[in-house]
């Protein structure tokens, strides 16, 4: 239940970590509230080389570094809330095997800074990321998920994840292979920025104010996605960058280019014939006019998440006083994520 009567709270001294874990052992941190209110340049949780699992844990961080800093080893996060007031990424993973699910990261200008393991795949599943509005700043420091490492050749799978409010929803560098599937990016300036690697965006919803997709290097494939809200361009290719490939996408726009007309319409690399949209002569998808409120039905889940991000991780201890918890969660009510039916089904199987 949201009351979590058995949770323990650990507060770090000023300028110190909450927990430091070094070595090759296995460590499970569960049913905890970790607070570092004056952390300075220290993280709340630091691990190096260990196999660490955070489960049903809430982290409240204020400082000038990452709330969680994991190097090498293995790092797993389940049913956890990270509220990080910092100019840096809330969570930094450097070379560790990484698996995160059913969790929320709130407040930081960059949520996840990931340098993936070269052998083991990284997984981000049912994770909800929310930034405070910070203007149209771009690049890794203002990305929801930044996947880096110029010498890395890792595999990262992002599924059923929501990324809201960042300068770029997803930023990919290096030789990494990234699959962003069945997920949403909303209220950002840019959707996906590919500066290297191989990136697939599949069956996702991307709603941003500036550019939907930007490619400077690597290979970017988009299939069966919905794009809306891009004021500047749906796809922007840097000079010399490879072209975006894919098909089956829907572009929702109230601009003249997407109006259904008798004649064929061209603009830069795009050509529209009827509803069908072509990119450098290849069929990329179709144009669709927006509904009266401007937000496609497929994007409504983002709006619900933004109103109450804490409610999306009902299995993490909520932060704040009992009164604040009741205000956030309601009296004795566990608020489910949009995937509650699947979660209930899994729970019934276990029982």
């Amino acid at each position: 239940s949201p009351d979590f009567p058995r949770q323990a709270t650990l507060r770090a001294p000023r300028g110190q970590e909450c927990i430091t874990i070094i070595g090759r052992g296995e460590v499970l941190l569960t049913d905890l509230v970790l607070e570092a209110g004056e952390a300075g340049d220290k993280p709340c949780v630091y691990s190096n080389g260990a196999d660490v699992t955070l489960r049903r844990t809430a982290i409240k961080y204020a400082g000038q570094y990452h709330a969680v800093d994991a190097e090498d080893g293995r790092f797993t996060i389940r049913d956890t809330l990270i509220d990080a007031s910092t100019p840096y990424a809330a969570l930094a993973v450097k070379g560790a095997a990484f698996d995160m699910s059913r969790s929320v990261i709130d407040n930081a200008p960059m949520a996840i800074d990931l340098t993936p393991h070269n052998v083991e795949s990284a997984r981000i599943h049912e994770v909800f990321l929310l930034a405070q509005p910070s203007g149209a700043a771009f690049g890794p420091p203002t990305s929801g998920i930044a996947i880096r490492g110029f010498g890395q050749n890792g595999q990262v799978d992002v599924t059923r994840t929501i990324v809201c409010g960042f300068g770029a929803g997803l930023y990919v560098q290096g030789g990494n292979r990234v699959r962003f599937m069945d997920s949403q990016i909303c209220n950002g300036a840019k959707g996906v920025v590919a500066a290297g690697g191989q990136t697939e965006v599949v069956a996702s919803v991307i709603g941003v104010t500036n550019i939907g997709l930007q490619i400077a290097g690597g290979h970017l494939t988009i299939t069966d996605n919905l794009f809306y809200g891009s004021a500047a361009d749906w796809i922007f290719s840097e000079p010399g960058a490879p072209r975006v490939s894919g098909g089956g996408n829907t572009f929702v726009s109230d601009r003249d280019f997407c109006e259904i007309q008798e004649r064929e319409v061209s603009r830069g690399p795009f050509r529209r014939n009827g509803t069908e949209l072509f990119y450098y002569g290849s069929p990329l998808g179709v144009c669709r006019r927006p509904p009266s409120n401007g937000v496609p039905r497929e994007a409504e889940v983002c709006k619900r998440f933004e109103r109450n991000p804490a409610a999306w991780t009902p299995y993490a201890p909520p932060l704040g006083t009992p009164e604040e918890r009741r205000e956030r969660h309601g009296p004795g009510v566990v608020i489910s994520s949009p995937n509650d039916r699947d979660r209930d089904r899994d729970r019934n199987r276990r029982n």
Side-chain angles (χ1 to χ4, degrees), residues 182-232:
D182 194 19
S183 296
Q184 296 201 27
I185 295 172
C186 57
N187 280 2
K190 295 182 180 180
V192 177
V193 178
Q198 301 177 45
T199 305
E200 290 183 83
V201 183
V202 181
S204 294
V205 177
I206 296 178
V208 292
T209 59
N210 195 317
I211 294 171
L213 302 165
Q214 180 173 343
I215 182 166
H219 184 74
L220 177 59
T221 304
I222 57 171
T223 309
D224 299 330
N225 303 288
L226 183 140
F227 297 85
Y228 71 97
S230 299

Side-chain angles (χ1 to χ4, degrees), residues 134-147:
S134 58
F138 307 129
T142 58
S143 299
I145 303 172
I147 299 170

Side-chain angles (χ1 to χ4, degrees), residues 167-182:
L170 174 67
Y171 189 99
V172 180
Q173 287 181 333
N176 298 302
R177 302 177 305 281
V178 180
R179 185 174 175 86
F180 187 87
M181 183 174 180
D182 194 19

Side-chain angles (χ1 to χ4, degrees), residues 257 269-273 276-285:
F257 185 77
F270 294 99
R271 178 173 64 83
R272 187 187 57 71
N273 188 359
E276 193 164 13
L277 187 69
F278 296 84
Y279 175 70
Y280 286 107
S282 298
L284 198 61

Side-chain angles (χ1 to χ4, degrees), residues 31 131 151 269 299:
D31 297 301

Side-chain angles (χ1 to χ4, degrees), residues 105-112 127-145 161-170 180 184-192 205-211 228 299 301-303 305-307 309:
I105 296 178
D106 195 5
N107 276 334
M110 180 181 184
I112 300 174
V127 172
F128 309 105
L129 311 175
L130 181 65
Q132 298 301 315
S134 58
F138 307 129
T142 58
S143 299
I145 303 172
T161 287
I162 294 178
V163 186
C164 277
F166 296 88
L170 174 67
F180 187 87
Q184 296 201 27
I185 295 172
C186 57
N187 280 2
K190 295 182 180 180
V192 177
V205 177
I206 296 178
V208 292
T209 59
N210 195 317
I211 294 171
Y228 71 97
V301 65
C302 276
K303 298 299 181 185
F305 168 64
E306 288 180 288
R307 285 195 292 268

